[in-house]
Amino acid sequence: MNNISFIEGKIDIKINDEDYSQELVGNKLAYLLLKKGIIDTNTVNKAIFLKQKYSQDGKGRKNLAQILVQDLNFDHDLIFREVASFYAFRTVDIDIKNLSESFITDIRNLLDTYDIELKKLLLHVKMLPLMFDINNKNKLIIGAIDPTDKEILRIIQRLNVERYEITYLPPAVYEKLIEILIPPENEYLINLEKLGNQYEAPITGSEGSVDESLLEIEINKSALINLFEGALIEGVRKGASDIHFLPESSTDTLINFRVDGKLLLWHRQQNTMPEAIIAVVKDRARGLDRFERESGQDGFIQREIDGHIIRFRVSIIPIAGNEIKNKFESIVIRILDDRKVIKDLGALGFAGYALTSFQKSISNPQGLIILTGPTGCGKSTTLQAALHQVINPSVNVITVEDPIEYIIKGARQVKLGHKLDFEHALRYILRHDPDIVLVGEMRDKETADIAIKLANTGHLTFSTLHTNDAPSAISRLYKMGIEPFLLANAINIIVAQRLIRKLCECKKKSGKHDEKYFKRLGLDPVEWKKYTLYEPVGCEKCLGSGFKGRMAVHEAVYITKEIAQIILDAGDKIDEISVRKAARKDGSLTLREAGLERVKNGITSLEEVFASTMDD
C-alpha cells in the first residue's frame, strides 16, 4: 500500500478589516498569515522592506513566503502549507514507512528517462516527478517544496509531458524520498575497496623516534587519503557530531563516530602506523603542523558534501601509548553542519513554562539570558535558536565565541586570535553600538562583569555558565564577586539544560515496569500505570541502539520580583532552596521532571531520563 493522498488547497479569504493598511490588504497572503497569528505586523513590514530592497538591488525578486523562510527564518513547512492552501496547490501527504516498492520503482524509472543535467536541475530546485494522475494518464503530478519557484516552469518545459500539476511537497518528505531514490555514494570508500589491503606491518625507527622516510612512504599510500576523506563523508551522513581517531597500538587505529551522544566504532585500521594516519589528517587540514607531535594543535577543514559546505574543527593532543617508540596523538574532529542549526525553540525540546518564560525573556529589549549545564549539553545550539528568534535587519547583533561553530546570518561574529583575545573583544564591542550580544561563556569575573554591564545598559545579552542547575548559576556569579543588586536587575532568566536521547521508531511497549520498579525509582505506581511506556529495540536506522536523535529538557528560573528579592537579601550566600521553591511555584520543572514528561509522551524511556538527569 502506498498511503499517498493529497490535501486540497483552497482560496478562502475575505478582506474587510479596516484595522489594516491598504498596502497590507493588497497583499492577501500577508493578510491571511497575519489573521492566523503566524506573523505580526512588524514581520510584515520587514518582509515588505526586504522585498522592495531585493527589487531595487537587482538581485532578483522574492515573494513574501520566500522572504519569510529564507531571510526571516520562519519554518518552511508552516509558511508553505499556508501558501499551498492559499494558491490552491494540493499538498502531498505521504506515509514514507508504508510506501510500496512499485511506487519507488515508478519514480526511479521516470528519473532514468532524464539526462544528468535535468536531474541536477530537479535536485537544485527540490522538485520530483511523483506519479501520473490515475484519472488522466497524460498528466504528471510534480511535487516541489516551493511550488511558487519560477524555475519550476522552465524545468517542466524539458520534461516532455502533455499536462502537469504542481503540488506542495513538504521538505521532510522530499528529503526522505531523495534518500530512498538516490542514496549517496561515498567515492572514497569505493576507491578504498578497489585498492584492497595494501598495507604492510610498519617499520619504526629507533626507540622514541619516528623514521620520517618510512613514514612518508606510508603517508603517500592513496588508501589512507581515501580512508580519511571517506570518514568525513560518512560522519556527516550518519549524523555524527564528532569523529575520533584513536591509536590503539603501533599497528592499529580506531575510528569512532559520536552519534546521539554515544561513541560507536566505525572502522579499525590495522597494519598501519598511527603516525601515518595522523599525518594525513594534519596534511589535509589547515593550521596544523605534521612534524609537531609534542603539543596540542587546533585546525580546520572545509568540504562540500552532498551539495552543502561542511566545516570541521580539528583538535589534536599528544597521548601516552604502551610502546615508547611511537608518538601517539588523539584526534577529535567536530562536524559543523549548518543544516543542523535548529531555529524553532519547540523543536529543541522547550515546552510548557520553560518555553513561555524563555520566549518572554528574549522578547525584552534588554537583560541577561543565561544557559547553564555541562559541556556537550547543547547550550550553544539553544543560543543559536534564540538568536534566530530576535535577529532582524533593524538590530546590531554581535557574538563573541571561542571558537565560532556556526555562521549566523545577520550577526557580526567576532573572530578571535592571538591579537584579539576573548576579554579584549568584549571590551571592544561595548563601543561597537550593539543591540544584542552573545557572550560565549562567562568564564571569570571580568567576562561576567562585562555581560552584566551590557544587560544593565540596554542590551539583550546571551551567555552560558557551567553549573548543574539553574539556581546554582546565581550562586556561581555571586561567588565570582558580582553584587546581588546587579544580579537581580540584570538577569531575565536562567535555563539549565540536558540532552536526552529520543526513542527510534522501532520502539516497543515496555512490559517490565511493575509496581516495585516504580517505587524503586521514587515514582507513584498508580499515576504511572496510566501511561504507555516504551523501551528501545534497535534497527538499521538507529544503528542498533534503539535511539535516534536527541532533544533537550529544561529547568527554567524566570527572575520574578519575588526571586529578585531573594537575591537582594543574600548574605554570605544565595538561598538556592528559596529560589527553587519560588520558581516551582511559578510553574518551573526540575530537569528530571521535564524528562519524565517526555516519557509520558512516549518520546524517550524512563532509564534514559534517570541516566541523564540528577536526583532532585
Side-chain angles (χ1 to χ4, degrees):
M1 185 177 178
N2 278 334
N3 281 5
I4 304 170
S5 57
F6 294 89
I7 302 168
E8 296 292 337
K10 59 179 180 179
I11 300 176
D12 182 18
I13 183 170
K14 296 177 182 177
I15 298 178
N16 53 15
D17 198 325
E18 297 178 357
D19 294 337
Y20 297 101
S21 67
Q22 197 59 42
E23 183 179 21
L24 179 57
V25 170
N27 193 323
K28 295 182 180 180
L29 177 61
Y31 182 89
L32 173 68
L33 295 173
L34 190 64
K35 293 291 282 183
K36 287 194 171 187
I38 295 171
I39 60 176
D40 56 25
T41 51
N42 188 34
T43 302
V44 173
N45 291 333
K46 292 176 196 171
I48 291 172
F49 168 78
L50 289 171
K51 189 175 181 181
Q52 293 170 346
K53 190 171 184 295
Y54 277 115
S55 179
Q56 291 167 1
D57 292 349
K59 294 180 180 178
R61 295 180 180 274
K62 283 187 180 182
N63 59 41
L64 176 77
Q66 291 165 343
I67 288 170
L68 288 173
V69 172
Q70 297 170 19
D71 296 275
L72 300 181
N73 302 314
F74 277 79
D75 179 73
H76 184 107
D77 196 43
L78 174 69
I79 297 299
F80 275 94
R81 280 187 183 271
E82 296 298 333
V83 168
S85 178
F86 179 73
Y87 289 113
F89 291 109
R90 289 198 293 171
T91 296
V92 181
D93 188 15
I94 297 179
D95 183 354
I96 293 289
K97 290 189 291 185
N98 293 311
L99 284 179
S100 69
E101 280 297 323
S102 61
F103 174 76
I104 297 299
T105 301
D106 288 345
I107 298 181
R108 281 201 185 111
N109 290 339
L110 266 172
L111 290 172
D112 287 342
T113 63
Y114 309 145
D115 59 41
I116 293 174
E117 184 184 350
L118 184 52
K119 285 181 186 176
K120 286 182 178 178
L121 286 172
L122 290 169
L123 292 173
H124 175 71
V125 179
K126 295 190 175 180
M127 58 184 283
L128 270 178
L130 296 174
M131 58 192 294
F132 283 96
D133 195 320
I134 56 174
N135 298 317
N136 185 342
K137 297 298 182 182
N138 294 321
K139 183 168 80 171
L140 180 63
I141 297 174
I142 299 163
I145 71 165
D146 177 3
T148 66
D149 192 327
K150 292 180 180 179
E151 289 297 313
I152 291 175
L153 294 178
R154 296 192 185 97
I155 295 171
I156 287 174
Q157 291 174 359
R158 300 181 56 178
L159 297 182
N160 296 322
V161 290
E162 292 182 20
R163 299 186 64 190
Y164 62 87
E165 177 190 355
I166 303 169
T167 61
Y168 170 58
L169 185 63
V173 177
Y174 170 82
E175 295 294 344
K176 287 178 180 176
L177 281 174
I178 289 296
E179 284 179 19
I180 296 169
L181 292 164
I182 316 171
E185 292 183 334
N186 190 330
E187 60 179 301
Y188 293 102
L189 296 187
I190 293 171
N191 290 339
L192 194 62
E193 192 174 339
K194 288 178 180 176
L195 289 167
N197 187 4
Q198 293 188 359
Y199 304 105
E200 299 175 0
I203 303 171
T204 55
S206 59
E207 187 175 289
S209 68
V210 176
D211 188 321
E212 298 293 347
S213 60
L214 292 174
L215 184 61
E216 191 68 38
I217 295 170
E218 194 89 349
I219 290 166
N220 288 331
K221 292 177 179 177
S222 62
L224 288 184
I225 295 172
N226 281 300
L227 175 65
F228 169 66
E229 295 291 345
L232 296 182
I233 293 171
E234 286 301 291
V236 171
R237 289 177 178 169
K238 291 184 182 299
S241 60
D242 302 89
I243 304 171
H244 290 237
F245 289 79
L246 180 63
E248 194 176 44
S249 72
S250 62
T251 61
D252 288 5
T253 301
L254 303 181
I255 304 177
N256 296 320
F257 291 163
R258 187 177 290 280
V259 179
D260 295 334
K262 301 293 182 183
L263 279 176
L264 303 173
L265 177 64
W266 175 69
H267 180 77
R268 179 189 293 272
Q269 185 59 40
Q270 298 176 308
N271 299 321
T272 308
M273 295 170 66
E275 292 92 339
I277 297 174
I278 292 165
V280 168
V281 176
K282 291 177 179 178
D283 284 349
R284 299 186 75 79
R286 281 183 272 171
L288 299 175
D289 180 358
R290 185 211 290 186
F291 301 102
E292 176 55 69
R293 303 187 180 98
E294 303 291 341
S295 66
Q297 297 189 69
D298 289 316
F300 180 77
I301 300 168
Q302 184 166 296
R303 296 286 187 272
E304 182 174 333
I305 297 175
D306 299 333
H308 298 275
I309 299 298
I310 309 294
R311 292 170 296 117
F312 303 85
R313 193 177 72 235
V314 185
S315 172
I316 301 179
I317 55 173
I319 59 173
N322 55 7
E323 299 178 42
I324 196 170
K325 60 189 176 184
N326 291 98
K327 296 283 188 179
F328 284 168
E329 294 171 277
S330 170
I331 297 179
V332 175
I333 301 176
R334 169 62 56 90
I335 299 173
L336 304 174
D337 187 345
D338 289 325
R339 294 172 297 175
K340 289 185 177 181
V341 174
I342 301 173
K343 301 174 184 178
D344 180 4
L345 294 174
L348 281 172
F350 270 102
Y353 175 79
L355 177 60
T356 55
S357 57
F358 192 73
Q359 288 176 325
K360 183 179 178 181
S361 297
I362 66 175
S363 298
N364 288 339
Q366 67 183 60
L368 181 60
I369 286 86
I370 301 174
L371 264 291
T372 185
T375 301
C377 74
K379 297 187 296 294
S380 296
T381 301
T382 300
L383 288 179
Q384 299 275 346
L387 280 181
H388 278 100
Q389 305 298 309
V390 297
I391 285 179
N392 65 68
S394 69
V395 293
N396 178 16
V397 180
I398 302 178
T399 77
V400 184
E401 309 159 82
D402 186 19
I404 295 171
E405 293 202 347
Y406 296 102
I407 303 302
I408 305 171
K409 189 176 180 181
R412 306 178 197 190
Q413 296 175 267
V414 178
K415 189 174 181 181
L416 302 178
H418 67 280
K419 291 186 178 180
L420 182 65
D421 62 19
F422 194 83
E423 287 72 23
H424 284 94
L426 286 176
R427 291 198 200 99
Y428 282 120
I429 65 171
L430 287 169
R431 300 191 292 272
H432 213 71
D433 189 30
D435 296 294
I436 299 169
V437 179
L438 169 62
V439 179
E441 181 187 346
M442 291 183 286
R443 55 182 70 179
D444 51 34
K445 185 179 186 299
E446 187 174 10
T447 53
D449 273 333
I450 294 173
I452 293 289
K453 182 178 181 180
L454 282 163
N456 274 327
T457 54
H459 305 89
L460 184 62
T461 308
F462 297 85
S463 193
T464 67
L465 268 177
H466 290 285
T467 61
N468 288 327
D469 57 22
S472 61
I474 304 172
S475 293
R476 174 67 60 82
L477 291 169
Y478 183 59
K479 289 173 183 175
M480 281 183 184
I482 309 298
E483 295 293 337
F485 73 91
L486 291 174
L487 294 173
N489 290 309
I491 302 172
N492 290 353
I493 194 171
I494 303 166
V495 177
Q497 177 168 305
R498 294 292 186 280
L499 291 178
I500 56 173
R501 293 181 296 168
K502 297 190 292 184
L503 287 165
C504 179
E505 293 174 351
C506 62
K507 65 186 179 182
K508 69 175 182 179
K509 290 182 181 179
S510 177
K512 66 182 181 183
H513 299 132
D514 55 20
E515 188 171 331
K516 289 181 180 178
Y517 182 84
F518 289 124
K519 285 182 176 179
R520 193 163 63 249
L521 295 177
L523 303 175
D524 180 2
V526 177
E527 179 193 355
W528 279 87
K529 284 293 183 182
K530 300 175 187 176
Y531 304 105
T532 302
L533 305 185
Y534 295 88
E535 62 184 50
V537 177
C539 67
E540 186 178 335
K541 286 184 179 179
C542 61
L543 304 177
S545 70
F547 294 90
K548 183 71 173 172
R550 291 188 291 176
M551 72 184 307
V553 292
H554 303 94
E555 175 192 28
V557 172
Y558 182 76
I559 308 301
T560 60
K561 289 182 179 179
E562 181 181 354
I563 294 176
Q565 191 59 51
I566 294 170
I567 297 171
L568 289 170
D569 293 339
D572 294 335
K573 62 179 182 179
I574 299 291
D575 187 349
E576 293 182 24
I577 295 175
S578 296
V579 170
R580 183 175 285 107
K581 284 181 179 178
R584 287 177 67 80
K585 189 170 66 176
D586 295 331
S588 176
L589 299 177
T590 65
L591 289 164
R592 179 158 291 178
E593 287 170 339
L596 291 175
E597 289 299 309
R598 307 303 188 274
V599 176
K600 292 175 182 178
N601 295 330
I603 297 172
T604 190
S605 68
L606 271 173
E607 293 77 9
E608 174 66 12
V609 168
F610 275 79
S612 303
T613 59
M614 291 175 57
D615 194 13
D616 305 306

